[in-house]
Amino acid sequence: MFGLMDVFLKNDPITLQKDILDHVEFTVAKSRFNFDDFEAYQALAHCVRDRLIERWHDTQIHFSKKDPKRLYFLSLEFLMGRSLSNSVINLGIRDQFADALSQLGFEFEVLAEQEGDACLGNGGLARLSACQMDSLATLDYPAIGYGLRYQYGLFRQVILDGFQHEQPDYWLNFGNPWEIERVHITYTVKFYGTVTDEVLNGEKYKVWVPGEMVEAVAYDNPIPGYGTRNTIDLRLWAAKPSDQHDMEAYNTGDYVDAVVNRQRAESISSLLYPDDRSYQGKELRLKQQYFFVSASVQDIIRRFKDKHKNFDEFPEKVALQLNDTHPSLAIAEVMRVLLDEEHLGRKRAWDIVCKIFSFTTHTVSTDALEKIPVDLMGSLLPRHLQIIYDINFNFMEELKKMIGLDYDRLARMSIVEEGAVKNIRMANMSIICSHTVNGVSRLHSELLKTKLFKDFYELWPHKFHYKTNGVTQRRWIVVSNPSLCALISKWLGTEAWIRDIDLLIGLRAHVTNAKLHQEWKMVKKVNKVRLAEYIETMSGLKVSLDAMFDVQTKRMHEYKRQLLNILGIIHRYDCIKNMNKNDRKKVVPRVCIIGGKAAPGYEMAKKIIKLCHVVGEKINKDNDIGDLLKLVFIPDYNVSVAELVIPGADLSQHLSTAGHEASGTSSMKYLMNGCLLLATEDGSTIEMIEEIGKENMFLFGAKVDETAALREKGPALKVPLQFLRVVRMIRDGHFGLKDYFQSLCDKIEGENDYFLLGADFASYLEAQAAADKAFVDEERWTKMSILSAAGSGRFSSDRTIQEYAEKTWRIQPCRCNS
Ligand code: 26Q
């Protein structure tokens, strides 16, 4: 008889070599005596995939046997990046694989570089989902992620002559070993059509007769936990034409048109929309949202019904997490299924809905809240529009009883926005129907309560909470910074911090130890070398390792104020140009690095990218400046580029105008890597101050309660002369393209300066000067760097997930030990 242990795939070097070669021969179909790096990567990936599937299977069987309450994490975006290194590290078999490969004449790191990124998301929200999946698996929570399997991920950014161009990311071109296609797990998703009334057993029911049907096919992506056998599922849906699609057309003999029409179905999951609010109200986007919601809800209900005869226990077994409003149609969909298909009756259906949904918002401004035109909703999802109207009618009636006939407030809180175009307010629906509304940092939550959702907070204060975001130390230290990982484990005397981040604080005990300082600096040096090499291959620019590597990487957005950074660089350049030889000796050399994508339709963000290039061109070519200042733009910033850039940074900038960044998560990654922060008191930075102390950061700028008064001052607002001078330089064509940059300058001068660049400029320069001063005192800098990493524990997604599990989802770990 076999015991369970006997059927595990073995991980000794001989077995691994054999398995890799077998995959070379039978999966990649190459000769085992002749294969290149990419083919070796493919074989290796399949070998890892086998081991993932084994654990994934055991986990699913275990969950199914225990039938715990499960978390269903609904998100339209997951920014997973590469999987190979992360998987072997989480499986605990990285070194074994590296050994086996070296005996075959390959280097693990070289093969890992062959993998392309899975960019199924835009930025913060999407990478947060990926970090949270890693934490859910590691902490043994019975969770499933649901999303869309886009054929085209986020566009690739190509820079031509300093301008951003977008190219399609057809990421599945070379196959994807990390997914398992489930041809038998499919659901039909309906669109358009009409709703009729029917009578069944004397009861009246609504019947939705669809006008179009599309199949959703499941693709499972195993997500392994670290230090556990648990491997959870990220299930992504792909659209395929339904066999019932256009039967009519076939019957009428319109064969060619019918086949062409079938192709159209696949377009639903074809592309990820770039984060640009102007895309709101597009039919294809709404179709995507409903497509993935409907397939997921069918899957969830099928799983529940496999074990339960009726819906009594549904809320004790199911928690549905809405990652922003993008999946919020799930509310109307669950209601529809319970009413029209399960015939539960309105009261019971509504009771269930109110108990299962939780909603997290990632937005700070009312303008950015998602709205769907009623006409569009009514045509694509006629039954859902009825249901939403019904929910809203009942809510309005209840509300009138509670607050009286305050029509302004009723109008503000209604799900339906009246006006020239009637809209469905997805956030209002999400708040009304969820038991919990979470913000992503403490400050964000305060803004939700006092501004964005004030009316709702006053009605239901108990619903409003926050779970400060976090990032996974597995990806952001262990995978991306192996030298730092080894150093931390050595000084803490344990690797346990990889699962228990609170242990990081133990580094504080050694903060003055000269030996640690020496090793710490060495690690930073190694990572700076790696980054410098990347910069050189990419741009041909040689940068000095003695310079401070000063980095700002994030999506390009006016509120994130990359422009403030560039204006600061111009000011620095101008100062150096006007210095005598002696003063120049005191200048702290800097390599300024900026990276990030602009949404394709976001003119101003694209201008900022071009400005960065022209300024960089001028400075980098100026022999008079030499190594004192360099400005590099890193193109196509994505997860794998971040893994390279973050460990090599000395200083990172987080410059959002206070009150505009809901949380910010890149700062957490930099902090964990011992990079000092130059930041405004915004989003999660405020909580970082408490963890590492303001003396270890470079803070500047107006605070959130000061911005309104500054804006009100309008033309009376004093801006420093240096600010006017640098803007003037751009206006006068000092960097070329005089006309092109006028509109950009107009936006930051006088009353138009909504994001307060002028108001914050003096304080920004002071913070920069403080950073320079600290950097020349190597011992002080290293101490600050160690304290940054030591104090970063609170910003692990393990902490975030544990809080969600205990306070919001009320789920328990379910560890699979077999
Ligand atoms: C909406 C409609 C149509 C098309 C696209 C979108 C869309 C897509 C993505 C709207 C917003 C997003 C992404 C938002 C986002 O990433 N927000 C960030 O979330 C992070 C995680 O909570 C926070 O740290 C950041 O502060 C927040 O900006």
Side-chain angles (χ1 to χ4, degrees):
M1 253 252 307
F2 284 116
L4 252 183
M5 288 304 288
D6 298 320
V7 296
F8 288 177
L9 290 169
K10 301 269 193 308
N11 295 313
D12 59 281
I14 305 290
T15 310
L16 291 183
Q17 281 178 46
K18 180 179 179 308
D19 286 1
I20 294 169
L21 291 176
D22 283 351
H23 274 298
V24 168
E25 185 156 353
F26 302 119
T27 309
V28 186
K30 286 291 291 192
S31 154
R32 55 175 68 216
F33 304 107
N34 180 21
F35 53 98
D36 64 17
D37 283 350
F38 181 70
E39 288 147 2
Y41 154 72
Q42 287 181 303
L44 173 61
H46 276 277
C47 223
V48 176
R49 168 195 163 107
D50 292 342
R51 283 151 180 83
L52 285 170
I53 291 176
E54 187 182 57
R55 291 162 204 237
W56 181 86
H57 234 125
D58 291 348
T59 311
Q60 302 317 312
I61 292 169
H62 184 70
F63 287 174
S64 179
K65 199 169 82 197
K66 295 274 171 191
D67 190 32
K69 179 174 186 182
R70 292 183 207 232
L71 164 71
Y72 295 104
F73 187 93
L74 267 50
S75 178
L76 224 58
E77 303 192 8
F78 290 89
L79 204 38
M80 305 305 284
R82 290 173 173 159
S83 285
L84 178 64
S85 293
N86 187 245
S87 298
V88 293
I89 285 171
N90 279 14
L91 296 176
I93 50 176
R94 188 203 167 278
D95 294 346
Q96 291 89 320
F97 266 111
D99 284 351
L101 282 169
S102 88
Q103 286 170 32
L104 293 172
F106 290 93
E107 206 184 314
F108 181 85
E109 291 309 326
V110 174
L111 300 196
E113 286 292 316
Q114 299 290 318
E115 185 176 354
D117 276 37
C119 292
L120 306 186
N122 272 287
L125 167 150
R127 181 56 226 177
L128 186 76
S129 315
C131 283
Q132 294 189 337
M133 287 301 291
D134 181 82
S135 291
L136 283 163
T138 299
L139 300 178
D140 298 315
Y141 286 113
I144 299 183
Y146 280 112
L148 266 183
R149 180 178 178 274
Y150 302 105
Q151 276 179 298
Y152 293 88
L154 184 62
F155 65 88
R156 294 226 171 98
Q157 179 190 52
V158 175
I159 305 290
L160 292 176
D161 188 27
F163 290 102
Q164 168 178 301
H165 293 258
E166 299 86 30
Q167 279 182 1
D169 168 43
Y170 194 68
W171 70 295
L172 296 164
N173 233 347
F174 297 102
N176 175 15
W178 308 110
E179 65 183 9
I180 304 146
E181 186 183 16
R182 302 281 182 206
V183 285
H184 294 299
I185 305 184
T186 66
Y187 297 98
T188 303
V189 178
K190 306 183 270 187
F191 297 103
Y192 306 104
T194 49
V195 180
T196 56
D197 287 301
E198 278 184 24
V199 178
L200 191 78
N201 299 332
E203 298 272 346
K204 266 176 116 185
Y205 292 104
K206 298 281 181 193
V207 174
W208 174 21
V209 186
E212 183 180 318
M213 286 191 280
V214 177
E215 290 298 303
V217 183
Y219 285 76
D220 289 332
N221 299 256
I223 311 288
Y226 180 95
T228 171
R229 208 171 156 72
N230 280 38
T231 298
I232 60 173
D233 192 9
L234 170 58
R235 180 161 278 183
L236 303 179
W237 302 106
K240 294 274 154 73
S242 155
D243 287 338
Q244 299 160 60
H245 197 94
D246 276 337
M247 280 316 271
E248 194 58 27
Y250 287 105
N251 295 339
T252 53
D254 217 348
Y255 172 73
V256 172
D257 268 3
V259 173
V260 169
N261 252 334
R262 281 170 67 86
Q263 297 271 311
R264 247 180 14 136
E266 290 180 20
S267 71
I268 294 180
S269 57
S270 69
L271 96 152
L272 165 79
Y273 274 93
D275 167 13
D276 183 334
R277 316 298 141 92
S278 61
Y279 280 107
Q280 285 203 21
K282 288 277 186 294
E283 181 175 62
L284 182 59
R285 167 85 183 177
L286 185 63
K287 259 182 139 168
Q288 290 188 331
Q289 294 183 346
Y290 179 64
F291 172 77
F292 121 85
V293 153
S294 166
S296 307
V297 167
Q298 292 184 63
D299 202 36
I300 293 165
I301 291 184
R302 193 247 332 131
R303 191 174 294 108
F304 177 81
K305 284 172 77 171
D306 275 353
K307 300 261 171 200
H308 303 267
K309 289 191 297 292
N310 58 46
F311 282 84
D312 293 353
E313 274 195 284
F314 199 69
E316 279 80 59
K317 295 292 177 187
V318 172
L320 276 163
Q321 165 69 19
L322 303 174
N323 196 24
D324 217 294
T325 51
H326 316 155
S328 59
L329 279 170
I331 295 167
E333 176 65 359
V334 170
M335 198 68 193
R336 186 190 69 81
V337 173
L338 296 183
L339 282 175
D340 301 354
E341 291 176 14
E342 302 296 337
H343 300 165
L344 288 197
R346 197 193 175 279
K347 187 175 175 324
R348 260 192 92 202
W350 178 241
D351 268 357
I352 290 174
V353 164
C354 291
K355 286 182 183 154
I356 57 177
F357 284 100
S358 53
F359 164 54
T360 297
T361 169
H362 304 260
T363 304
V364 277
S365 86
T366 316
D367 308 334
L369 294 174
E370 200 179 7
K371 293 180 206 171
I372 313 279
V374 163
D375 290 348
L376 177 59
M377 184 81 85
S379 116
L380 188 70
L381 302 167
R383 178 62 182 133
H384 296 78
L385 182 61
Q386 288 181 347
I387 289 173
I388 293 169
Y389 272 146
D390 183 56
I391 292 174
N392 197 43
F393 177 82
N394 287 298
F395 170 61
M396 286 286 125
E397 291 302 302
E398 284 300 305
L399 192 57
K400 278 183 212 157
K401 284 186 212 150
M402 290 184 278
I403 67 167
L405 300 180
D406 177 347
Y407 286 110
D408 286 342
R409 188 164 174 205
L410 287 165
R412 286 197 303 268
M413 295 178 78
S414 170
I415 299 179
V416 184
E417 179 186 63
E418 304 286 343
V421 182
K422 263 191 175 190
N423 283 307
I424 300 298
R425 296 176 176 134
M426 304 303 261
N428 288 21
M429 176 169 76
S430 303
I431 298 170
I432 292 163
C433 306
S434 297
H435 55 77
T436 304
V437 178
N438 276 301
V440 289
S441 71
R442 192 203 307 144
L443 173 67
H444 180 221
S445 176
E446 286 311 310
L447 293 172
L448 295 179
K449 295 196 281 195
T450 55
K451 300 218 156 69
L452 246 67
F453 303 139
K454 183 169 184 282
D455 291 312
F456 286 105
Y457 174 65
E458 284 167 6
L459 185 67
W460 296 313
H462 59 276
K463 277 198 190 188
F464 287 78
H465 302 265
Y466 71 94
K467 309 280 173 282
T468 299
N469 285 166
V471 301
T472 166
Q473 67 268 32
R474 267 83 57 189
R475 165 95 37 177
W476 298 108
I477 303 178
V478 186
V479 172
S480 64
N481 196 343
S483 335
L484 183 65
C485 173
L487 180 150
I488 295 174
S489 300
K490 178 184 150 189
W491 282 84
L492 295 180
T494 169
E495 289 187 347
W497 61 275
I498 302 175
R499 272 182 68 91
D500 182 1
I501 193 79
D502 290 342
L503 296 173
L504 266 193
I505 207 82
L507 287 174
R508 275 192 194 156
H510 311 287
V511 73
T512 52
N513 187 307
K515 185 88 179 51
L516 172 63
H517 276 225
Q518 197 197 347
E519 292 179 18
W520 195 269
K521 284 188 282 188
M522 200 55 212
V523 166
K524 188 55 80 185
K525 185 75 172 279
V526 168
N527 290 313
K528 284 175 80 168
V529 169
R530 197 162 61 135
L531 176 51
E533 284 171 359
Y534 183 74
I535 292 172
E536 192 174 348
T537 355
M538 201 191 56
S539 63
L541 196 70
K542 271 195 182 358
V543 296
S544 157
L545 294 173
D546 297 325
M548 181 200 295
F549 281 21
D550 157 354
V551 187
Q552 186 182 22
T553 52
K554 44 187 89 233
R555 285 296 289 261
M556 304 299 292
H557 226 291
E558 284 162 280
Y559 83 80
K560 293 183 191 278
R561 297 199 294 191
Q562 282 94 352
L563 195 47
L564 184 61
N565 188 355
I566 299 170
L567 296 181
I569 293 166
I570 299 176
H571 173 73
R572 183 175 285 263
Y573 174 62
D574 189 39
C575 288
I576 299 173
K577 289 297 277 181
N578 292 315
M579 272 179 198
N580 61 35
K581 258 198 171 149
N582 249 345
D583 284 343
R584 285 190 185 203
K585 285 193 188 130
K586 290 183 221 140
V587 172
V588 179
R590 288 225 193 188
V591 176
C592 301
I593 299 165
I594 297 179
K597 296 181 185 179
Y602 192 168
E603 271 307 309
M604 198 49 67
K606 288 182 142 177
K607 278 199 179 174
I608 297 170
I609 292 178
K610 177 64 180 169
L611 180 66
C612 183
H613 281 90
V614 294
V615 173
E617 183 105 328
K618 174 117 191 168
I619 297 176
N620 300 344
K621 281 197 178 143
D622 191 337
N623 291 329
D624 185 34
I625 295 292
D627 278 342
L628 291 184
L629 187 60
K630 288 276 176 272
L631 170 55
V632 200
F633 186 89
I634 299 212
D636 204 36
Y637 183 69
N638 61 16
V639 177
S640 56
V641 175
E643 288 171 30
L644 187 100
V645 171
I646 294 171
D650 292 306
L651 182 78
S652 73
Q653 303 201 36
H654 308 277
L655 312 179
S656 57
T657 313
H660 287 266
E661 191 70 273
S663 163
T665 42
S666 73
S667 54
M668 301 171 180
K669 300 161 196 168
Y670 283 103
L671 205 65
M672 281 184 180
N673 282 276
C675 169
L676 304 199
L677 263 46
L678 191 149
T680 48
E681 296 188 31
D682 198 15
S684 55
T685 307
I686 296 187
E687 291 158 70
M688 291 177 176
I689 302 172
E690 290 159 23
E691 298 299 309
I692 60 174
K694 59 154 75 70
E695 67 285 4
N696 293 311
M697 305 165 81
F698 307 103
L699 299 169
F700 78 99
K703 307 221 181 16
V704 67
D705 51 2
E706 297 165 352
T707 53
L710 286 171
R711 281 193 189 114
E712 256 162 42
K713 279 193 183 167
L717 182 71
K718 277 254 173 307
V719 297
L721 285 175
Q722 300 113 309
F723 182 78
L724 299 174
R725 184 175 156 83
V726 291
V727 179
R728 176 56 47 205
M729 285 170 79
I730 302 173
R731 276 205 196 275
D732 289 348
H734 207 85
F735 306 97
L737 295 183
K738 202 171 155 183
D739 293 342
Y740 177 75
F741 289 126
Q742 293 306 315
S743 62
L744 182 145
C745 295
D746 292 343
K747 273 206 125 177
I748 52 175
E749 275 190 328
E751 281 175 285
N752 297 336
D753 185 14
Y754 182 78
F755 292 108
L756 300 171
L757 282 81
D760 276 351
F761 198 62
S763 152
Y764 176 64
L765 296 182
E766 279 170 32
Q768 286 287 10
D772 283 333
K773 194 163 164 236
F775 192 72
V776 286
D777 181 348
E778 249 194 291
E779 196 182 325
R780 178 171 163 225
W781 186 273
T782 307
K783 198 173 148 203
M784 290 169 83
S785 168
I786 297 170
L787 290 174
S788 296
S792 68
R794 189 173 141 66
F795 306 100
S796 165
S797 45
D798 292 350
R799 192 261 319 140
T800 314
I801 285 299
Q802 200 143 351
E803 286 181 10
Y804 268 109
E806 287 165 11
K807 302 266 162 55
T808 299
W809 304 324
R810 297 177 188 273
I811 53 168
Q812 304 289 328
C814 184
R815 193 179 173 92
C816 156
N817 287 315
S818 57

